[in-house]
Amino acid sequence: MSDEQRSSGSPEPGGAASGGPEPEPIRFFGTTWLHHDGGYGLRRAGVAVGSLALAAAGAAVLRFAFQGLEIADVGPFVGILVVAGFAICSALAFRRTWDGFVRRPDPAAGSADDKSGQSLMFIGFIGSLLAYFCRSLVEAPGEKLHRTEYTTARERHERRRGNRTGNPAARKPRPKKRR
């Protein structure tokens, strides 16, 4: 293997150089969340402003749709149903997105839950964007979850690595006990 093909060692202890765990990248942040470098603060501000702007634009589009219902004169009952439907779906999408930043989804839930969740997230997109905005005010969305998983993986790697004392084939044979 030539020098150009070899990867340079990772500056992170327990990183690629020693075969340890790698930090998982977060959308819009990559691995800058690990040390808060590489424009992390600007990225967080950009994500917060962008998600809030998209939520405002989505609310404006929904307002135009509601005005279309008023022009069609469908009645107050349909208007209340539409507003309540979007409000409930937005609240559920907010909660589902927020939970995604705190814990991994349960793999035992199955794909049927994912299909219903997709339509819920599509209808309640404003809630999902607002969850992204609120979380980006505190940290990169999902940073706490990723940091916990990464430190756990590093500790587990260090324990396994610490248990090994070297090359077992290079050990000197023990002298046999004389009786």
Side-chain angles (χ1 to χ4, degrees):
M1 185 183 246
S2 70
D3 290 335
E4 292 82 31
Q5 291 175 338
R6 268 188 228 137
S7 63
S8 60
S10 173
E12 179 63 28
S18 64
E22 290 291 321
E24 187 177 340
I26 298 177
R27 183 183 307 168
F28 303 124
F29 294 92
T31 57
T32 61
W33 60 266
L34 189 60
H35 299 293
H36 294 189
D37 58 354
Y40 172 81
L42 290 174
R43 290 178 191 218
R44 255 188 49 205
V47 165
V49 168
S51 60
L52 187 62
L54 286 173
V61 168
L62 288 179
R63 176 69 184 142
F64 291 137
F66 189 72
Q67 284 178 345
L69 289 176
E70 287 179 346
I71 291 171
D73 197 27
V74 292
F77 181 69
V78 173
I80 291 170
L81 282 178
V82 168
V83 170
F86 274 105
I88 291 169
C89 286
S90 290
L92 292 173
F94 181 95
R95 184 64 186 172
R96 187 178 177 112
T97 304
W98 192 268
D99 284 345
F101 298 145
V102 178
R103 70 183 71 84
R104 295 276 180 191
D106 186 18
S111 63
D113 188 38
D114 293 338
K115 294 292 182 187
S116 65
Q118 286 177 351
S119 59
L120 178 83
M121 297 290 275
F122 184 73
I123 294 170
F125 67 97
I126 292 178
S128 184
L129 288 169
L130 289 176
Y132 217 80
F133 167 73
C134 292
R135 195 61 177 200
S136 65
L137 292 177
V138 177
E139 64 179 7
E143 178 181 346
K144 185 176 182 181
L145 173 67
H146 284 77
R147 188 172 302 281
T148 303
E149 290 175 348
Y150 178 66
T151 55
T152 303
R154 278 191 54 200
E155 289 169 0
R156 188 174 37 236
H157 175 74
E158 289 300 321
R159 277 195 313 265
R160 282 190 311 222
R161 197 166 147 222
N163 289 341
R164 290 182 248 156
T165 58
N167 185 356
R171 289 185 188 160
K172 295 180 182 178
R174 294 182 185 168
K176 293 184 180 181
K177 291 184 178 180
R178 294 184 188 178
R179 291 187 187 189

